[in-house]
Amino acid sequence: MPARDTIHDVVKQAIIKDGWLFTDDPERELYLAIPGTVYSDIFSEPIGKLVIAELPLKLLVVNTFKIEVSQWIPPLIIEK
């Protein structure tokens, strides 16, 4: 199974397990789902922290072993 399908299935199972419902709401917010290992490897590094601070990223960190959402990380509000 391609990695994309694997992470998709894990994310889907995790958010269903958390009680979320899937809708066709055009106003919904989209999050980038990443495994916890990716978050700790990339976004805990200085360059990753800079990306989070400078870009309006919305991250969903997923524990792929426990099949659960570890963190919802909303975008930082950048005032200019």
Side-chain angles (χ1 to χ4, degrees), residues 5 14-15 17 21 26 30 34 40-42 44 53 61 68 73 75:
D5 292 339
I15 61 177
K17 187 172 155 182
L21 300 175
L30 296 178
I34 58 173
S40 62
D41 288 348
I42 296 174
S44 64
V61 183
E68 64 184 19
I73 303 174

Side-chain angles (χ1 to χ4, degrees), residues 43-76:
F43 291 101
S44 64
E45 295 291 324
I47 189 71
K49 290 178 181 179
L50 179 64
V51 167
I52 290 174
E54 296 295 323
L55 297 177
L57 285 179
K58 299 173 191 170
L59 299 176
L60 175 68
V61 183
V62 179
N63 182 322
T64 55
F65 300 107
K66 294 182 179 179
I67 308 178
E68 64 184 19
V69 175
S70 302
Q71 284 183 279
W72 291 86
I73 303 174
L76 294 175

